Amino acid sequence: YQYSGVFEKLAIKIVEAKCGYTIDLEKSGVTQTTRDYGVDAIISFSNRDPEFSTIEAKLRKPDYTLGLKDIASSILFFLVRNGNEHFIVSNVYITSGTIEAISILNLQSSSQIYYITGEETFKILTSIVEQIGDSLEKELAQILIENFKNNKKMELRCHSFTYGIWRWNIRSI
């Protein structure tokens, strides 16, 4: 995608809208293009702990589904660095196996990994698109909203909880 760098900046706005906290833009920003260990942004919330969080932004074609291999490097970097919060932001859904792995990591650690994907990204973008000042970010947000509306939607449903692990199904709606 020609918009991958733009999506990294847009992901910061998505996290800000999701969390309801103001991001301190002077202490936050996107990381370098290469050798960033999969972390696309480091953000600082104003007047909130933890002070710093990391973001991985994954912009994919609408028919793609993120697997664990797509986000493993940023999660590993986050865990090795003893981060407190890590956000995975994408325009597509993640696999049930990835959700299970994140759930296990969240249960075994005081750190938290959050994901904002698929329909949730669509809903947040729809609510903030008119407030986006940057023309490229606004253009990308409008493209993503339109892509989501035009594609067959998927629904993620929890179907069981066994040995502390949630099992998930993805089905067309």
Side-chain angles (χ1 to χ4, degrees):
Y1 268 129
Q2 67 188 36
Y3 292 106
S4 59
V6 176
F7 187 68
E8 291 174 1
K9 294 174 185 169
L10 194 54
I12 294 172
K13 290 180 172 82
I14 292 168
V15 169
E16 184 175 38
K18 168 73 176 172
C19 295
Y21 293 100
T22 303
I23 291 176
D24 183 342
L25 294 176
E26 289 183 19
K27 294 182 182 177
S28 304
V30 296
T31 59
Q32 62 191 23
T33 307
T34 60
R35 289 189 261 172
D36 61 5
Y37 304 99
V39 173
D40 295 313
I42 298 173
I43 55 173
S44 175
F45 292 102
S46 301
N47 302 321
R48 180 185 163 245
D49 284 328
E51 185 179 352
F52 290 97
S53 299
T54 54
I55 298 175
E56 179 172 15
K58 289 293 186 186
L59 180 63
R60 295 293 187 258
K61 292 183 180 181
D63 58 345
Y64 194 86
T65 305
L66 288 181
L68 189 55
K69 66 178 174 43
D70 295 310
I71 57 175
S73 63
S74 73
I75 291 174
L76 184 59
F77 177 79
F78 163 73
L79 293 171
V80 167
R81 294 291 181 135
N82 295 319
N84 291 317
E85 285 183 325
H86 181 63
F87 295 89
I88 299 160
V89 180
S90 182
N91 61 310
V92 298
Y93 290 99
I94 58 179
T95 65
S96 59
T98 303
I99 292 170
E100 286 180 33
I102 291 171
S103 296
I104 291 168
L105 289 171
N106 283 342
L107 287 172
Q108 295 176 349
S109 171
S110 61
S111 302
Q112 289 295 298
I113 301 169
Y114 302 98
Y115 48 90
I116 305 170
T117 59
E119 189 170 2
E120 186 173 17
T121 300
F122 163 75
K123 286 178 180 178
I124 292 170
L125 285 175
T126 301
S127 72
I128 67 170
V129 69
E130 295 307 319
Q131 301 158 9
I132 298 172
D134 181 89
S135 61
L136 278 177
E137 289 176 27
K138 188 174 220 163
E139 178 182 334
L140 177 58
Q142 291 168 333
I143 289 168
L144 294 175
I145 289 166
E146 203 54 40
N147 281 347
F148 194 85
K149 285 180 183 177
N150 292 333
N151 284 298
K152 193 173 195 180
K153 295 183 181 175
M154 304 297 278
E155 183 178 70
L156 191 61
R157 290 201 180 261
C158 176
H159 72 85
S160 69
F161 183 75
T162 312
Y163 303 111
I165 299 173
W166 292 100
R167 304 281 182 218
W168 300 86
N169 279 341
I170 299 176
R171 68 178 182 93
S172 297
I173 57 172

